[in-house]
mmCIF file with all atom_site columns, all heavy atoms in Angstrom:
data_model
loop_
_atom_site.group_PDB
_atom_site.id
_atom_site.type_symbol
_atom_site.label_atom_id
_atom_site.label_alt_id
_atom_site.label_comp_id
_atom_site.label_asym_id
_atom_site.label_entity_id
_atom_site.label_seq_id
_atom_site.pdbx_PDB_ins_code
_atom_site.Cartn_x
_atom_site.Cartn_y
_atom_site.Cartn_z
_atom_site.occupancy
_atom_site.B_iso_or_equiv
_atom_site.pdbx_formal_charge
_atom_site.auth_seq_id
_atom_site.auth_comp_id
_atom_site.auth_asym_id
_atom_site.auth_atom_id
_atom_site.pdbx_PDB_model_num
ATOM 1  N N   . ASP E 1 73 ? -96.142  -66.134 41.195 1.00 93.00 ? 73 ASP E N   1
ATOM 2  C CA  . ASP E 1 73 ? -94.704  -65.923 41.375 1.00 93.00 ? 73 ASP E CA  1
ATOM 3  C C   . ASP E 1 73 ? -94.401  -65.477 42.791 1.00 93.00 ? 73 ASP E C   1
ATOM 4  O O   . ASP E 1 73 ? -93.374  -65.864 43.380 1.00 93.00 ? 73 ASP E O   1
ATOM 5  C CB  . ASP E 1 73 ? -94.193  -64.871 40.389 1.00 93.00 ? 73 ASP E CB  1
ATOM 6  C CG  . ASP E 1 73 ? -94.316  -65.355 38.945 1.00 93.00 ? 73 ASP E CG  1
ATOM 7  O OD1 . ASP E 1 73 ? -94.322  -66.578 38.732 1.00 93.00 ? 73 ASP E OD1 1
ATOM 8  O OD2 . ASP E 1 73 ? -94.439  -64.500 38.046 1.00 93.00 ? 73 ASP E OD2 1
ATOM 9  N N   . LEU E 1 74 ? -95.272  -64.650 43.365 1.00 93.00 ? 74 LEU E N   1
ATOM 10 C CA  . LEU E 1 74 ? -95.040  -64.128 44.701 1.00 93.00 ? 74 LEU E CA  1
ATOM 11 C C   . LEU E 1 74 ? -95.173  -65.208 45.779 1.00 93.00 ? 74 LEU E C   1
ATOM 12 O O   . LEU E 1 74 ? -94.451  -65.209 46.781 1.00 93.00 ? 74 LEU E O   1
ATOM 13 C CB  . LEU E 1 74 ? -96.008  -62.981 45.011 1.00 93.00 ? 74 LEU E CB  1
ATOM 14 C CG  . LEU E 1 74 ? -95.776  -61.686 44.236 1.00 93.00 ? 74 LEU E CG  1
ATOM 15 C CD1 . LEU E 1 74 ? -96.994  -60.791 44.301 1.00 93.00 ? 74 LEU E CD1 1
ATOM 16 C CD2 . LEU E 1 74 ? -94.559  -60.954 44.768 1.00 93.00 ? 74 LEU E CD2 1
ATOM 17 N N   . ASN E 1 75 ? -96.115  -66.135 45.587 1.00 91.00 ? 75 ASN E N   1
ATOM 18 C CA  . ASN E 1 75 ? -96.348  -67.194 46.573 1.00 91.00 ? 75 ASN E CA  1
ATOM 19 C C   . ASN E 1 75 ? -95.780  -68.549 46.158 1.00 91.00 ? 75 ASN E C   1
ATOM 20 O O   . ASN E 1 75 ? -95.994  -69.557 46.851 1.00 91.00 ? 75 ASN E O   1
ATOM 21 C CB  . ASN E 1 75 ? -97.848  -67.349 46.853 1.00 91.00 ? 75 ASN E CB  1
ATOM 22 C CG  . ASN E 1 75 ? -98.356  -66.313 47.832 1.00 91.00 ? 75 ASN E CG  1
ATOM 23 O OD1 . ASN E 1 75 ? -97.563  -65.693 48.545 1.00 91.00 ? 75 ASN E OD1 1
ATOM 24 N ND2 . ASN E 1 75 ? -99.651  -66.101 47.874 1.00 91.00 ? 75 ASN E ND2 1
ATOM 25 N N   . GLU E 1 76 ? -95.111  -68.594 45.021 1.00 85.00 ? 76 GLU E N   1
ATOM 26 C CA  . GLU E 1 76 ? -94.460  -69.805 44.521 1.00 85.00 ? 76 GLU E CA  1
ATOM 27 C C   . GLU E 1 76 ? -95.438  -70.973 44.478 1.00 85.00 ? 76 GLU E C   1
ATOM 28 O O   . GLU E 1 76 ? -95.166  -72.077 44.977 1.00 85.00 ? 76 GLU E O   1
ATOM 29 C CB  . GLU E 1 76 ? -93.253  -70.158 45.391 1.00 85.00 ? 76 GLU E CB  1
ATOM 30 C CG  . GLU E 1 76 ? -92.171  -69.103 45.390 1.00 85.00 ? 76 GLU E CG  1
ATOM 31 C CD  . GLU E 1 76 ? -91.020  -69.435 46.306 1.00 85.00 ? 76 GLU E CD  1
ATOM 32 O OE1 . GLU E 1 76 ? -91.058  -70.515 46.934 1.00 85.00 ? 76 GLU E OE1 1
ATOM 33 O OE2 . GLU E 1 76 ? -90.078  -68.632 46.391 1.00 85.00 ? 76 GLU E OE2 1
ATOM 34 N N   . GLY E 1 77 ? -96.576  -70.743 43.866 1.00 79.00 ? 77 GLY E N   1
ATOM 35 C CA  . GLY E 1 77 ? -97.580  -71.801 43.746 1.00 79.00 ? 77 GLY E CA  1
ATOM 36 C C   . GLY E 1 77 ? -98.533  -71.490 42.607 1.00 79.00 ? 77 GLY E C   1
ATOM 37 O O   . GLY E 1 77 ? -98.500  -70.398 42.049 1.00 79.00 ? 77 GLY E O   1
ATOM 38 N N   . ALA E 1 78 ? -99.348  -72.497 42.278 1.00 76.00 ? 78 ALA E N   1
ATOM 39 C CA  . ALA E 1 78 ? -100.303 -72.312 41.188 1.00 76.00 ? 78 ALA E CA  1
ATOM 40 C C   . ALA E 1 78 ? -101.683 -72.838 41.590 1.00 76.00 ? 78 ALA E C   1
ATOM 41 O O   . ALA E 1 78 ? -102.401 -73.437 40.793 1.00 76.00 ? 78 ALA E O   1
ATOM 42 C CB  . ALA E 1 78 ? -99.823  -73.031 39.927 1.00 76.00 ? 78 ALA E CB  1
ATOM 43 N N   . ASP E 1 79 ? -102.058 -72.609 42.841 1.00 79.00 ? 79 ASP E N   1
ATOM 44 C CA  . ASP E 1 79 ? -103.350 -73.081 43.347 1.00 79.00 ? 79 ASP E CA  1
ATOM 45 C C   . ASP E 1 79 ? -104.477 -72.138 42.939 1.00 79.00 ? 79 ASP E C   1
ATOM 46 O O   . ASP E 1 79 ? -104.315 -70.915 42.947 1.00 79.00 ? 79 ASP E O   1
ATOM 47 C CB  . ASP E 1 79 ? -103.322 -73.204 44.871 1.00 79.00 ? 79 ASP E CB  1
ATOM 48 C CG  . ASP E 1 79 ? -102.268 -74.191 45.343 1.00 79.00 ? 79 ASP E CG  1
ATOM 49 O OD1 . ASP E 1 79 ? -101.898 -75.054 44.540 1.00 79.00 ? 79 ASP E OD1 1
ATOM 50 O OD2 . ASP E 1 79 ? -101.820 -74.081 46.496 1.00 79.00 ? 79 ASP E OD2 1
ATOM 51 N N   . LYS E 1 80 ? -105.612 -72.719 42.609 1.00 80.00 ? 80 LYS E N   1
ATOM 52 C CA  . LYS E 1 80 ? -106.841 -71.953 42.303 1.00 80.00 ? 80 LYS E CA  1
ATOM 53 C C   . LYS E 1 80 ? -106.568 -70.861 41.274 1.00 80.00 ? 80 LYS E C   1
ATOM 54 O O   . LYS E 1 80 ? -106.165 -71.128 40.164 1.00 80.00 ? 80 LYS E O   1
ATOM 55 C CB  . LYS E 1 80 ? -107.442 -71.382 43.609 1.00 80.00 ? 80 LYS E CB  1
ATOM 56 C CG  . LYS E 1 80 ? -107.984 -72.477 44.543 1.00 80.00 ? 80 LYS E CG  1
ATOM 57 C CD  . LYS E 1 80 ? -108.694 -71.861 45.720 1.00 80.00 ? 80 LYS E CD  1
ATOM 58 C CE  . LYS E 1 80 ? -109.251 -72.954 46.633 1.00 80.00 ? 80 LYS E CE  1
ATOM 59 N NZ  . LYS E 1 80 ? -109.941 -72.383 47.800 1.00 80.00 ? 80 LYS E NZ  1
#
Side-chain angles (χ1 to χ4, degrees):
D73 295 334
L74 290 164
N75 280 342
E76 298 178 0
D79 299 336
K80 292 186 179 180

